[in-house]
Amino acid sequence: MVDVARMSEAEAANRLMRLAREIAKHDRLYHDRDTPEISDADYDALVAENRAIEAAFPQLVRDDSPSKRVGHLPSSPLSKVTHAKPMLSLDNAFEADDVREFLGRVRRFLKLVPEAPVTLTAEPKIDGLSCSLRYEGGRLVLAATRGDGSVGEDVTANARTIDDIPETVEGAPQVLEVRGEVYMATEDFAALNARQEKAGEKVFANPRNAAAGSFRQKDASVTKARPLRFFAHGWGEISALPRETQSGMVDWLRGLGFPVDPMFVTCEGAEAALEHYDAIQEARPDLGYEIDGVVYKVDRLDWQERLGQVARAPRWALAHKFPAEQAETVLEAIDIQVGRTGKLTPVGRLKPIGVGGVIVSNVTLHNFDEIDRLGVRPGDRVRVQRAGDVIPQIVANLSDAAGRDPYPRPATCPVCDSEAVAEEGEVDIRCTGGLICPAQRFERLKHFVSRGAMDIDGLGEKSIAEFLELGWIEKPSDIFELHRHREALLKREGWKETSVDKLLAAIDARRGFDAARFLFGLGIRHVGAVTARDLMKAFGSIEALQEAARGETPIADLTAVDGVGEVVAQAVVDFFHEPHNREEVARLIARAAPAPYVVETVDSDWAGKTIVFTGKLEAVSRDEAKAQAERLGAKAAGSVSSKTDLLVAGPGAGSKLKKAQELGVRVMSEEEWLAEVAKA
Ligand code: IVH
């Protein structure tokens, strides 16, 4: 891993940008397409690196930081819509000088003299979620979330429930897309959380999460019951542009009936813009909604047009973020949480304190080395910091911590009392209880049914907790015996015949399912979905893998598989070494009969060749394309190198296409590829 202590701020910002993109890409591959390209361990290393850099440079935490996402939102049931014009994001600045430099860049790009007047607009950066509202003939016809900027989700019915969003507008051109921010006022957020808590429902961490959770609902009546608001700050497709400046357009939108932030102003040059930054920062506590910075835009639209964009951010706009917020309180306790693989994570419990409008009562401590680094103990006064909605952290211990011994490491798991150990060279301490540990059991069941693994619809966290509590399921194989409890389940609150039968059918549909998914679902350390597939491709069945893992030369036999190194091999051997794991595997095989993993190949010119798919495939999913390649005897790879024989590029192909062209690799379209498949 990189040496964070030696990083300059610029290097850190750059690396964080790359990590955000890379981690988001792997999240999508893993969760939405089920085609991860890297191992779980490599993924975890990226996340850890991101966390380490953010801890050292909290002012650089990005809007789209992976640490801000509490897991990846599962592919939502809302349908997808492609934006007529992409929804862009913004470059961030943290210092006044960054803003001056921004203006310098703008002037140089436009070939203006250094003192040339440039009018900017300045307005609060609302901490909500962006939304695009499409009006045709003055009627709202489509509302979409930003999504990845190109494709968002259809939230039309939800948008219609928001009072701030007009259903019809008079005097609008034929096509008008209004873009802005859906948010929840702080007061409404507090009231919603109080109601949720009383009803025993989920409490939201902050207004932004509450707004997102309320807006991205399949059932618009849920959205209707939530107090959402909207501010317009821009536009997308528009059939006739009625004004020549950003401020003119914003005025015009206000005139059409869209709410616009009251602190929107125009300023002449950087110094005036910075003055407005101070004014907004001062007004911040009283605005009644959360903001996390100020957005500056070049006012003249002809200049915006000329400036264009780099990657996904316009050259004509900049987000000037507020510094992270801090507060002081008392660390009341240090608890330990147990994860899926048994990792024990210390969590600090605080005397609740408001930090930038949000009540904070927990802080992450990452691991026990971090407790020693901070030198904290329960009872200490600490300074906590919240940047955006990253899980708050302790940044300093304000009590005298001199001469303290290292914090005692737990010798046993706090949940199941099994021995807890730190592996050589690792900071993490793990519970060795495996499936005996209730905390690990719950996390593992969740993993087993997750999308990348068995993908069992209707068996969510709540049901797993319920069935665990009832003692109906303790381990994955029990899921396949759940039908025995059908009658009892029907008598339980919240379950109806249709929902019960749907769940049982979803489970039945997974009998005889792909062995690689079963293997991944077992949650063996370091065995991600790709590794599971590599292993099943080589061994064909879980039984054969187990035999190899229990054989005379297991490490050599396992590392002989493409993509499997010593760490993975050792983890597989360790897993099958445990009698309780072997028993569980035997039960799973008996109850759910995983289908052997067979790749039937046909004779083709592509046998032995390496193929890479990139860009958006339109007729087939990426999984299917890879399977097609395998069926033709070819290998589907994730990145382009001199060993690549063919790149199949769909729309939006980027760096891989460029590299293939540089290397002289043959490139074809999806259509041409499908013709090859049809030939074989
Ligand atoms: S303008 C082309 N103005 O910030 C520029 N964005 O970090 C598009 N945001 O996705 C954005 N307040 O959702 C703009 N006053 C404001 C904003 C704002 C909040 C959000 C927006 C965007 C994100 C980028």
Side-chain angles (χ1 to χ4, degrees):
M1 191 150 113
V2 290
D3 187 353
V4 177
R6 287 159 169 249
M7 263 189 171
S8 72
E9 189 155 333
E11 283 169 348
N14 196 354
R15 184 69 192 138
L16 286 176
M17 174 190 75
R18 290 177 190 287
L19 283 167
R21 285 195 199 148
E22 205 176 344
I23 292 170
K25 177 184 95 175
H26 292 305
D27 280 344
R28 276 196 307 279
L29 288 169
Y30 179 94
H31 292 277
D32 290 346
R33 303 211 197 124
D34 301 336
T35 53
E37 286 178 354
I38 57 170
S39 70
D40 285 5
D42 286 349
Y43 175 86
D44 289 346
L46 292 177
V47 173
E49 188 188 345
N50 190 69
R51 194 187 307 126
I53 302 175
E54 286 187 345
F57 299 94
Q59 74 280 18
L60 297 185
V61 172
R62 299 169 56 89
D63 258 357
D64 59 355
S65 163
S67 63
K68 283 192 170 187
R69 272 176 272 136
V70 185
H72 176 90
L73 287 170
S75 260
S76 100
L78 297 165
S79 51
K80 302 269 188 275
V81 274
T82 302
H83 298 300
K85 286 210 165 165
M87 290 182 78
L88 301 178
S89 58
L90 293 166
D91 277 338
N92 287 333
F94 299 93
E95 308 292 338
D97 270 345
D98 299 336
V99 179
R100 297 184 183 107
E101 272 169 34
F102 159 71
L103 212 63
R105 279 197 304 275
V106 165
R107 287 201 177 96
R108 282 195 299 278
F109 191 95
L110 296 172
K111 297 223 179 322
L112 303 175
V113 292
E115 2 11 288
V118 174
T119 307
L120 295 176
T121 64
E123 68 201 284
K125 183 169 190 299
I126 319 290
D127 209 1
L129 65 152
S130 42
C131 179
S132 185
L133 307 169
R134 187 177 174 93
Y135 292 82
E136 288 177 8
R139 294 204 81 81
L140 178 66
V141 292
L142 179 70
T145 61
R146 179 171 183 276
D148 64 3
S150 308
V151 178
E153 291 162 337
D154 184 341
V155 282
T156 315
N158 314 56
R160 290 195 207 279
T161 70
I162 300 178
D163 291 343
D164 280 351
I165 297 180
E167 182 64 41
T168 55
V169 281
E170 254 174 62
Q174 174 56 25
V175 175
L176 166 65
E177 283 182 2
V178 177
R179 290 183 175 173
E181 219 67 11
V182 169
Y183 68 98
M184 195 178 282
T186 26
E187 189 183 75
D188 292 336
F189 162 72
L192 169 67
N193 259 0
R195 284 201 303 277
Q196 293 282 107
E197 187 157 11
K198 212 164 148 209
E201 299 279 335
K202 175 183 164 142
V203 174
F204 296 99
N206 53 49
R208 198 173 69 89
N209 284 1
S214 305
F215 196 45
R216 295 175 69 253
Q217 284 282 345
K218 183 87 181 144
D219 179 358
S221 66
V222 178
T223 310
K224 194 173 168 58
R226 304 274 172 85
L228 293 176
R229 304 184 191 205
F230 179 78
F231 272 135
H233 55 57
W235 59 97
E237 190 181 350
I238 184 161
S239 50
L241 207 56
R243 299 285 186 276
E244 290 178 349
T245 56
Q246 181 78 26
S247 51
M249 285 296 290
V250 166
D251 266 345
W252 177 76
L253 287 171
R254 192 192 286 122
L256 288 183
F258 292 95
V260 168
D261 195 291
M263 292 207 78
F264 177 97
V265 297
T266 54
C267 321
E268 299 308 318
E271 301 314 314
L274 289 167
E275 260 173 48
H276 195 55
Y277 173 88
D278 291 340
I280 291 178
Q281 193 166 18
E282 202 169 308
R284 184 180 187 190
D286 307 314
L287 286 177
Y289 46 89
E290 291 224 324
I291 62 173
D292 59 352
V294 175
V295 182
Y296 310 117
K297 299 171 193 169
V298 170
D299 198 31
R300 276 178 59 166
L301 298 185
D302 56 336
W303 283 356
Q304 287 191 5
E305 175 88 29
R306 278 171 61 197
L307 285 157
Q309 65 189 67
V310 197
R312 303 231 130 228
R315 278 199 198 84
W316 46 265
L318 185 72
H320 187 180
K321 305 292 286 284
F322 293 133
E325 303 198 59
Q326 301 194 336
E328 292 175 14
T329 186
V330 176
L331 175 66
E332 292 190 323
I334 296 178
D335 287 346
I336 296 170
Q337 275 175 357
V338 187
R340 167 164 69 86
T341 57
K343 182 182 163 192
L344 304 187
T345 305
V347 178
R349 308 291 180 199
L350 303 174
K351 181 156 184 249
I353 174 95
V355 191
V358 171
I359 304 295
V360 170
S361 45
N362 300 316
V363 279
T364 166
L365 287 162
H366 304 306
N367 55 49
F368 292 90
D369 284 11
E370 174 76 359
I371 301 182
D372 289 341
R373 192 181 69 76
L374 292 162
V376 284
R377 293 289 184 279
D380 283 351
R381 257 197 102 65
V382 291
R383 179 174 310 129
V384 294
Q385 166 171 294
R386 185 185 145 254
D389 60 358
V390 199
I391 305 171
Q393 328 178 297
I394 295 180
V395 285
N397 187 1
L398 307 170
S399 301
D400 182 13
R404 280 182 178 163
D405 289 333
Y407 190 76
R409 271 49 175 171
T412 55
C413 168
V415 176
C416 73
D417 224 21
S418 298
E419 200 187 344
V421 294
E423 272 162 38
E424 220 183 291
E426 281 200 22
V427 279
D428 292 337
I429 298 179
R430 283 173 201 280
C431 157
T432 55
L435 292 175
I436 309 164
C437 176
Q440 289 192 51
R441 235 186 263 157
F442 176 64
E443 295 299 329
R444 288 193 189 196
L445 284 165
K446 254 170 54 186
H447 172 72
F448 186 74
V449 304
S450 68
R451 269 182 69 91
M454 299 301 285
D455 192 15
I456 300 181
D457 255 1
L459 196 48
E461 212 164 290
K462 223 173 108 204
S463 314
I464 294 178
E466 183 178 354
F467 301 155
L468 255 176
E469 175 91 33
L470 289 164
W472 292 353
I473 57 172
E474 284 197 335
K475 42 198 180 319
S477 59
D478 296 336
I479 293 170
F480 293 97
E481 298 281 81
L482 202 59
H483 55 89
R484 295 178 188 277
H485 302 285
R486 184 175 179 276
E487 295 310 313
L489 185 53
L490 280 170
K491 295 201 185 87
R492 296 189 60 83
E493 210 184 300
W495 290 95
K496 292 199 218 78
E497 187 142 0
T498 40
S499 55
V500 170
D501 287 340
K502 216 168 132 195
L503 171 62
L504 295 177
I507 294 171
D508 272 342
R510 293 300 181 247
R511 296 181 203 275
F513 204 38
D514 165 6
R517 299 265 213 145
F518 269 91
L519 179 61
F520 172 54
L522 291 176
I524 302 174
R525 274 185 81 195
H526 307 297
V527 179
V530 170
T531 308
R533 225 174 313 155
D534 290 342
L535 285 166
M536 283 303 95
K537 230 183 276 173
F539 291 99
S541 68
I542 298 179
E543 294 94 316
L545 173 67
Q546 172 167 335
E547 213 167 282
R550 305 277 294 147
E552 301 272 305
T553 52
I555 300 293
D557 292 347
L558 290 169
T559 50
V561 176
D562 238 9
V564 173
E566 293 228 349
V567 175
V568 172
Q570 191 60 53
V572 173
V573 170
D574 289 350
F575 178 87
F576 285 107
H577 178 74
E578 293 290 330
H580 64 258
N581 287 336
R582 291 203 300 275
E583 283 160 23
E584 172 60 3
V585 167
R587 268 190 303 264
L588 265 177
I589 292 173
R591 292 178 185 176
Y597 192 91
V598 250
V599 188
E600 278 174 31
T601 54
V602 294
D603 224 12
S604 94
D605 295 346
W606 295 103
K609 299 275 164 64
T610 301
I611 304 180
V612 175
F613 295 91
T614 190
K616 192 168 179 304
L617 300 184
E618 297 185 319
V620 291
S621 69
R622 193 164 292 229
D623 259 347
E624 189 175 349
K626 284 189 176 175
Q628 288 171 335
E630 280 174 12
R631 206 172 59 85
L632 298 191
K635 188 175 158 220
S639 58
V640 174
S641 72
S642 57
K643 292 197 194 119
T644 310
D645 298 293
L646 171 69
L647 180 79
V648 178
S655 58
K656 287 185 192 171
L657 176 58
K658 204 165 145 232
K659 186 151 181 207
Q661 284 162 342
E662 278 163 16
L663 293 170
V665 170
R666 184 169 170 198
V667 178
M668 49 169 88
S669 68
E670 182 186 5
E671 218 180 341
E672 287 167 315
W673 164 249
L674 293 176
E676 289 296 310
V677 175
K679 260 200 279 179

